[in-house]
Amino acid sequence: MGKPPGATHPAPVREETRRWIEADKRHAWHPFTPQQAWTDADHEPLVIVRGEGPWLWDSEGRRYLDGNSSIWTNIHGHAHPAINRAITDQLGEIAHSSYLGFANPRASELAERLCGFFPDGTLERVFFSDDGSTAIEVAMKMSLQCRMQSGEPERHRFAAFADGYHGDTMGAAALGGVSRFFERFRRFGPEVDFVESIDQLDPDGLNAVVIEPLIQGVNEMRPWPEGMLAELRAWCDRHGVLLILDEVMTGFGRTGTMFACQREQVIPDFLCLAKGLSGGYLPLAATLTTGRIYDAFLGPPENAFYYGHSFTANSTACAAALASLDLFGAERTLERLPAKVDHLKNLLEGLASDRDEVVEVRQCGLVAGIELREGRGAEVCLRARDHGLLTRPIRDTVVLMPPLCVGHDELDRAVRAIAAAF
Ligand SMILES: *Cc1c(COP(=O)(O)O)cnc(C)c1O
């Protein structure tokens, strides 16, 4: 990972910034982070204290465009009054109550709204959890138990795509194809075939296939060929294999439609949602499935799905999610997207033309990856900070995926910051 980001900034001047960094370096432990370098004396991490729309402020008062939607979560911008109001209104009622043995209004409403995106008789059940990883865990366990209760216990293998990413809990990690993250835990997990294309799939004993539809995120923002998803659905139907779509990153408009699967009219057996579900405000995930899967869990109590988390269907998170879905209507988020997507496309074409450090530009909706010459990714992202853009590279691919509320002028600024960083 090399030198940690942040080193080009001047040392913090405010006393409280220094205190926060000191407490962090002494006691906190960051995800995916080589802590040796993080805690280096000359590493000054940014402390993000405030957000508004697509903008973030650090504790030294510097403003940045949120170039990766706070790790792919934010949809309508930070501190949106409508989402903030929904959350505070909910807090006035109750923050959280148990979903084990009780229903709650916001979860009922949200389950109904989510199923409403799909034709009747298709995805009609919602199982709530907290993160993308848990949404995947639920799909894995549900699919396996469904096989056991449908007289097909021998179908227990999973198939996943090389270089895919599905989260970090043990089950979800087992489906991950990025070897530097997952290889050392492989032998503790379920049996998974890794394939590069549909024709490598072996249906024998196969329970389910998992895929990030339209575009692989962690694999440096790599889009699939057009039509591939529909072809995979047809293959699964032919061989009685379940299809798990991981829309944790692609869901909620990122790729241009509300869900990526809608682009190829595909309905999966399991649809996993998280990140943008609450507008990116609170941890919340959902696994949607069909009546056919659900029915296998009816009958005697031992058929039940014995799974859940303390904060399943948290009312505050569900209230944020409902407000976020309302904003898609009120702000015509999807209708206004194509112009932004085109604008970004033009800007990125301009950026790539006659710049030999750009190897390739990849874009799907408002998600872009700018692949740079080897060794340039971290450095360019670091320098872009000095020009008011905050993002992270994946190896040498600079990720640009601002919140969907971003304006054309803000897209200009983002791409200008990357150009300046060169
Ligand atoms: C982020 C992500 C996950 C994991 O979600 P968490 O909320 O971080 O657990 C799973 N799949 C995809 C495609 C993701 O982008």
Side-chain angles (χ1 to χ4, degrees), residues 32 71-73 130-136 164-169 172 211-213 215-218 221 246-250 272-275 283-285:
F32 285 92
I71 210 76
W72 317 356
T73 56
D130 314 317
D131 289 282
S133 307
T134 57
I136 297 285
Y165 178 84
H166 302 288
D168 295 329
T169 55
I211 188 171
E212 298 158 82
I215 180 169
Q216 286 186 317
V218 171
M221 301 300 168
D246 178 350
E247 292 231 26
V248 172
M249 187 275 274
T250 54
C272 301
L273 303 172
K275 290 190 170 113
L284 180 67

Side-chain angles (χ1 to χ4, degrees), residues 30 33 65 70 75 276 315:
H30 289 258
T33 301
L65 197 68
S70 294
I75 302 285
S315 295

Side-chain angles (χ1 to χ4, degrees), residues 72-251:
W72 317 356
T73 56
N74 193 280
I75 302 285
H76 305 289
H78 296 281
H80 194 296
I83 303 182
N84 285 2
R85 196 177 327 113
I87 290 172
T88 46
D89 285 356
Q90 184 58 45
L91 291 177
E93 306 276 326
I94 185 169
H96 176 71
S97 59
S98 173
Y99 208 51
L100 175 59
F102 304 101
N104 81 63
R106 300 298 90 76
S108 298
E109 289 158 7
L110 183 56
E112 191 174 44
R113 287 281 286 277
L114 290 174
C115 293
F117 285 109
F118 301 93
D120 286 348
T122 61
L123 296 172
E124 53 186 27
R125 289 281 161 183
V126 179
F127 193 96
F128 289 108
S129 61
D130 314 317
D131 289 282
S133 307
T134 57
I136 297 285
E137 294 284 340
V138 167
M140 291 177 81
K141 284 193 163 179
M142 256 184 198
S143 62
L144 284 172
Q145 191 177 334
C146 174
R147 294 289 187 188
M148 293 170 199
Q149 290 167 192
S150 310
E152 308 172 296
E154 72 288 354
R155 298 195 83 146
H156 56 74
R157 277 184 13 262
F158 289 91
F161 286 84
D163 302 313
Y165 178 84
H166 302 288
D168 295 329
T169 55
M170 285 297 272
L175 301 179
V178 183
S179 57
R180 75 185 186 289
F181 297 163
F182 307 125
E183 207 49 53
R184 68 192 95 192
F185 298 109
R186 196 78 75 207
R187 68 197 168 93
F188 303 108
E191 240 183 284
V192 182
D193 302 340
F194 287 96
V195 299
E196 278 166 14
S197 58
I198 298 173
D199 52 17
Q200 290 176 357
L201 288 167
D202 173 9
D204 189 38
L206 194 58
N207 163 33
V209 181
V210 64
I211 188 171
E212 298 158 82
L214 295 195
I215 180 169
Q216 286 186 317
V218 171
N219 187 21
E220 305 174 358
M221 301 300 168
R222 232 168 270 280
W224 293 109
E226 215 178 296
M228 186 274 200
L229 188 60
E231 235 175 85
L232 181 61
R233 174 74 274 186
W235 186 93
C236 287
D237 287 342
R238 239 180 356 261
H239 298 283
V241 171
L242 298 169
L243 178 61
I244 301 172
L245 291 191
D246 178 350
E247 292 231 26
V248 172
M249 187 275 274
T250 54

Side-chain angles (χ1 to χ4, degrees), residues 365-398:
L366 218 51
V367 178
I370 304 150
E371 186 177 340
L372 304 182
R373 263 204 341 253
E374 211 180 317
R376 294 280 278 149
E379 187 192 350
V380 165
C381 286
L382 196 53
R383 288 185 188 287
R385 287 183 181 187
D386 298 334
H387 302 279
L389 174 70
L390 220 49
T391 189
R392 280 181 73 87
I394 306 169
R395 272 165 286 186
D396 289 307
T397 296
V398 175

